[in-house]
Amino acid sequence: GTSRFRIHLMDSKQLDTIASLSSDDGIAAVNISWQKEGKLNRTDFFKQYLQERIQQLAQSANEDLTGLAVFISGMASSSIGMLELPYAELPFSIKGEDMVYHKLSATKESPHDIYLLSGLASATDVMRGEEMQVIGLQNTIRTKKALVILPGTHSKHIRVEAGKVQDFSTFMTGEMFATTAKSTILSHSVRSAIIDQKRLFEAFKEGVDCVNQKGYLSALFKVRTRTLLSDKDKEQNFAFLSGVHLGEELRHLGKLDPTTELIICANSNLAFLYRMALHTLDIKLNSYVIPDKLSKLATAYGHLALAHHLRVD
């Protein structure tokens, strides 16, 4: 990712994680380090960084990982990543056969075949990484028509029909929530804290209902007026502001074909809020929440599915 690096050693037979590492050295940070050093070309610098992390993973797992294939998705194939690749196009099979990838063969310095995986583009939108989650969820997306919701800093709504991604949209939900809570006048009216959940949930639903009735920009200012005129505390307003943003992301879903199934891939706490927002908006589409373990490992499962498709052990 842009801000985070994650690596998993996977058991392809048991479909489970053997060991994992993560850090704040995402693509942006490694790219900056490469520009400062300037000795190696960009691809070799990233490969060197990757090899150091693989060695750490080997020590953590007490395993010799020499010769294992490495699959990399996300921002590694972007203009600031290891090597820029073109996006795959729509429609895109959720089995992975339409994936655009580039193989970097093993060398003495990097004794691993590296499969760099590209992202996905529509006529108006792009993603890098989330397509692997959808591939990892392919056995769960059994309906002929589904909307897969991947919450996050930039939430994705991915429309799948007949086993193919037909379209998708990005919503800057997480980023705008963080920005409004920290960097606007509203920052004086909100505070994150664990208090009585019933009060928080009620405030959250009020935020969802407000954005549905008043629109996003008007609903935002209600965070301030709730403090000035209604004596709402900062913790309630934080939940209200969260409701405003999830409500804004979801309120258009009432226009979907009623046969569409919503598939929510998120941790159980966040998925609960999404379903509460849907209920508050009176959106009656059937919804299914991906279990926590599958939600956490969906990307890794997507990599395993692609390795199987490419017949890579």
Side-chain angles (χ1 to χ4, degrees):
T2 302
S3 58
R4 295 285 293 171
F5 171 87
R6 300 176 183 86
I7 184 169
H8 303 281
L9 176 62
M10 298 296 297
D11 185 327
S12 60
K13 299 294 190 295
Q14 299 298 321
L15 299 181
D16 208 353
T17 306
I18 299 170
S20 299
L21 292 174
S22 64
S23 76
D24 291 330
D25 294 325
I27 288 298
V30 179
N31 186 280
I32 290 172
S33 296
W34 165 68
Q35 292 184 56
K36 289 180 178 179
E37 182 174 298
K39 295 179 181 179
L40 297 173
N41 68 52
R42 191 175 76 187
T43 299
D44 287 342
F45 185 88
F46 272 87
K47 287 175 67 176
Q48 177 179 280
Y49 172 85
L50 177 63
Q51 186 57 33
E52 291 170 357
R53 301 291 84 77
I54 292 173
Q55 289 172 352
Q56 291 180 350
L57 188 68
Q59 292 174 1
S60 174
N62 194 27
E63 296 269 5
D64 180 5
L65 305 184
T66 302
L68 283 188
V70 180
F71 285 78
I72 310 177
S73 62
M75 291 295 288
S77 63
S78 72
S79 60
I80 62 170
M82 178 181 289
L83 179 69
E84 186 175 11
L85 298 180
Y87 292 100
E89 298 178 350
L90 300 179
F92 179 84
S93 171
I94 64 173
K95 292 184 178 180
E97 60 247 32
D98 298 326
M99 176 63 66
V100 172
Y101 69 94
H102 180 79
K103 180 182 177 182
L104 298 167
S105 298
T107 64
K108 182 179 179 181
E109 294 77 19
S110 176
H112 307 275
D113 285 339
I114 297 173
Y115 292 82
L116 188 61
L117 313 174
S118 186
L120 185 59
S122 70
T124 58
D125 214 330
V126 296
M127 67 170 76
R128 286 197 189 272
E130 293 90 352
E131 72 286 343
M132 296 308 303
Q133 290 178 269
V134 176
I135 294 172
L137 297 172
Q138 61 181 274
N139 292 329
T140 302
I141 307 173
R142 299 188 181 94
T143 56
K144 292 183 179 179
K145 186 179 297 184
L147 187 75
V148 182
I149 299 177
L150 305 176
T153 303
H154 296 161
S155 296
K156 301 290 184 182
H157 291 198
I158 304 171
R159 182 168 62 85
V160 179
E161 292 185 27
K164 290 182 178 289
V165 175
Q166 303 291 346
D167 200 5
F168 61 92
S169 298
T170 303
F171 298 83
M172 293 177 58
T173 308
E175 183 169 357
M176 292 307 299
F177 174 66
T179 299
T180 53
K182 297 177 182 178
S183 304
T184 70
I185 194 173
L186 304 183
S187 64
H188 304 292
S189 302
V190 299
R191 179 171 58 235
S192 175
I194 300 175
I195 60 173
D196 178 55
Q197 283 195 334
K198 184 177 180 181
R199 289 173 61 210
L200 291 182
F201 290 155
E202 286 303 316
F204 174 84
K205 289 189 286 187
E206 288 171 8
V208 174
D209 186 62
C210 184
V211 75
N212 195 37
Q213 298 295 326
K214 303 290 187 181
Y216 179 65
L217 296 178
S218 178
L220 283 181
F221 197 70
K222 299 299 183 290
V223 176
R224 180 160 172 75
T225 58
R226 281 164 56 88
T227 300
L228 298 174
L229 304 177
S230 302
D231 199 30
K232 300 294 184 181
D233 61 43
K234 292 182 179 182
E235 292 78 13
Q236 288 175 295
N237 275 346
F238 189 85
F240 179 90
L241 184 61
S242 175
V244 167
H245 284 86
L246 262 68
E248 176 64 16
E249 177 184 332
L250 299 175
R251 61 192 182 120
H252 72 286
L253 298 185
K255 300 177 182 178
L256 288 180
D257 183 325
T259 63
T260 302
E261 182 173 9
L262 300 180
I263 298 177
I264 304 169
C265 183
N267 68 63
S268 55
N269 291 334
L270 186 54
F272 177 79
L273 292 179
Y274 267 76
R275 295 189 87 171
M276 184 185 296
L278 290 167
H279 182 265
T280 304
L281 293 166
D282 197 31
I283 294 173
K284 294 182 170 58
L285 299 172
N286 289 330
S287 62
Y288 174 76
V289 174
I290 300 296
D292 265 355
K293 181 178 180 180
L294 178 54
S295 176
K296 292 175 183 177
L297 291 176
T299 299
Y301 287 165
H303 286 198
L304 288 176
L306 199 60
H308 178 74
H309 173 69
L310 296 175
R311 299 182 180 180
V312 176
D313 293 328

